[in-house]
Amino acid sequence: MNDQLPENILELRGLKTHYPIRGGVFRRTVDSIKAVDGVDLSVRRGEVLGLVGESGCGKSTLGKSILRLALSTAGEIVFSSENGEVDLRQLTRAELFPYRRRLQIIFQDPHSSLNPAFTIFTAFDDVLKRYGYGDKEARRAVLGDLFEAVNMPRHYIDRYPHEFSGGQRQRIGIARALAVDPELIVCDEPVSALDASIQAQVLKLLQNLRQERNLTYIFITHDLSVTEYFCDRIAVMYLGKIVEIAKSEEIFGTTLHPYTQALISAIPVADLDRKSKRIVLEGDVPSPVSPPSGCAFHPRCRFATDICRQQTPKLQPSKDYPKDHLVACHRVEELGVLGHA
């Protein structure tokens, strides 16, 4: 790693992505869906940052907002490189183009992310051409090398998507993300649609590619059992906000936020000696159109008090825990071990 480069490859500062709700004869904006609602997050160069939470919490929208596939409405997306820092939200489409090759995405569904009318080479060819990858034979060679990098034969580049299995299609998705030599890849639930045995193969492939190419991953998933072994740090998201972030071993060993505790308690455990009591959250996830006042989690929290209902907690360290273990909870220091009961 280049020591001259900043430690953080990406910083999100107060990032919001709200979708307008229109109504009436004139289709005026009457409210908004607060999919991402003020996220502060740093991604360290070379790490795997897991982003977890229930379906609908905003984690996929956050990943797409970083790449400007979803248009954020406020905040900063600061990307750091050898040329210094740049806020991606402030760039025009033309100015953003050079950064597209540095930030890529692996989509969740390997079936719908490939055009069934094109061979794999045809689908890749325009992208490689646009980024200056020589003549046609040079582009074929590049794509063949990428297929070998994801453990697939070179001649498969002339096949159509329907000729591949789900696991093979996801490997093609990984190859596509690697095609322009990126620095950061957003992995949007890349193994959720795959069988367990294939999941392990794809995760092993991603880990090897990370080491070989010095990649940084933002790994979005609802499966915490995957993040425990694959991610360096884990950020837990609830209703558009980050509620806890720490190293993977600290999230699982010293869980501080009641929501994170409930998620971890739901992980199936084969070892009966390790089996813990399931924490069942009452009620439904509140609507992102009108989130609760104060702490958004308080309607479902067994420890909620008046301050939780009235004041929004800040994501910050607790004096009793490592300074890089951040949690948004008013009662974390008061509860201590009680929170694990």
Side-chain angles (χ1 to χ4, degrees):
M1 187 182 301
N2 189 341
D3 293 334
Q4 302 301 313
L5 293 175
E7 178 187 8
N8 293 331
I9 189 172
L10 187 75
E11 289 188 37
L12 308 181
R13 301 169 184 167
L15 187 66
K16 296 182 180 182
T17 302
H18 294 180
Y19 296 107
I21 298 175
R22 304 185 188 280
V25 176
F26 298 103
R27 307 297 295 167
R28 293 190 176 97
T29 299
V30 296
D31 213 328
S32 63
I33 299 172
K34 301 167 183 64
V36 177
D37 197 25
V39 167
D40 295 305
L41 186 64
S42 297
V43 183
R44 298 167 185 167
R45 194 175 301 275
E47 78 169 345
V48 180
L49 175 67
L51 188 62
V52 303
E54 294 171 289
S55 296
C57 71
K59 55 188 186 295
S60 289
T61 301
L62 179 59
K64 292 175 182 177
S65 297
I66 291 170
L67 302 175
R68 283 186 49 176
L69 298 178
L71 294 181
S72 50
T73 51
E76 299 177 55
I77 307 169
V78 180
F79 179 74
S80 299
S81 67
E82 66 276 3
N83 298 322
E85 295 184 348
V86 60
D87 182 1
L88 300 180
R89 284 197 69 242
Q90 303 303 319
L91 300 182
T92 65
R93 185 173 180 178
E95 292 170 337
L96 185 64
F97 179 74
Y99 293 94
R100 288 289 188 195
R101 69 183 306 164
R102 298 178 181 227
L103 299 98
Q104 287 292 304
I105 186 170
I106 300 170
F107 292 102
Q108 176 179 358
D109 186 356
H111 301 277
S112 62
S113 59
L114 293 170
N115 191 326
F118 295 155
T119 66
I120 302 304
F121 173 72
T122 304
F124 278 63
D125 192 41
D126 282 345
V127 175
L128 293 174
K129 187 188 302 182
R130 192 173 185 191
Y131 280 101
Y133 279 80
D135 57 22
K136 184 175 181 178
E137 289 307 312
R139 294 193 294 274
R140 289 186 65 85
V142 168
L143 185 53
D145 291 341
L146 287 171
F147 263 49
E148 289 189 345
V150 297
N151 301 328
M152 293 179 67
R154 301 179 72 93
H155 66 272
Y156 279 15
I157 65 174
D158 293 314
R159 293 188 175 185
Y160 287 87
H162 73 270
E163 300 180 75
F164 296 98
S165 67
Q168 288 175 321
R169 292 189 193 197
Q170 196 58 290
R171 290 172 184 268
I172 295 170
I174 295 171
R176 177 170 54 191
L178 295 173
V180 290
D181 197 22
E183 297 176 41
L184 184 148
I185 299 178
V186 175
C187 306
D188 187 8
E189 306 236 21
V191 296
S192 64
L194 306 177
D195 294 335
S197 60
I198 305 300
Q199 285 185 11
Q201 295 175 20
V202 172
L203 289 172
K204 180 64 175 176
L205 172 62
L206 288 171
Q207 191 67 270
N208 291 340
L209 291 170
R210 172 201 175 192
Q211 295 170 355
E212 294 168 4
R213 297 171 179 250
N214 194 28
L215 296 170
T216 303
Y217 293 143
I218 298 176
F219 191 83
I220 299 170
T221 183
H222 63 272
D223 188 350
L224 266 78
S225 60
V226 172
T227 63
E228 182 176 7
Y229 301 103
F230 186 69
C231 300
D232 301 308
R233 289 192 302 146
I234 297 173
V236 182
M237 198 167 182
Y238 183 81
L239 211 64
K241 299 179 183 291
I242 303 295
V243 297
E244 185 169 3
I245 181 168
K247 294 178 181 177
S248 178
E249 60 268 22
E250 291 173 8
I251 287 286
F252 285 89
T254 314
T255 314
L256 298 182
H257 199 283
Y259 176 61
T260 312
Q261 293 166 17
L263 291 180
I264 291 177
S265 76
I267 299 175
V269 179
D271 186 350
L272 294 179
D273 294 331
R274 289 184 55 203
K275 194 161 185 175
S276 60
K277 183 179 178 181
R278 171 74 185 272
I279 300 172
V280 179
L281 297 177
E282 297 181 358
D284 298 323
V285 179
S287 169
V289 176
S290 54
S293 60
C295 174
F297 184 62
H298 85 254
R300 308 173 74 194
C301 181
R302 55 198 172 132
F303 303 118
T305 60
D306 287 343
I307 190 173
C308 304
R309 300 179 185 95
Q310 297 166 3
Q311 297 181 21
T312 302
K314 295 181 180 179
L315 185 67
Q316 59 189 1
S318 169
K319 65 181 181 181
D320 297 324
Y321 301 96
K323 64 180 181 180
D324 58 351
H325 191 155
L326 308 180
V327 61
C329 180
H330 290 298
R331 303 195 64 200
V332 60
E333 294 177 5
E334 175 188 352
L335 291 171
V337 178
L338 176 63
H340 299 270

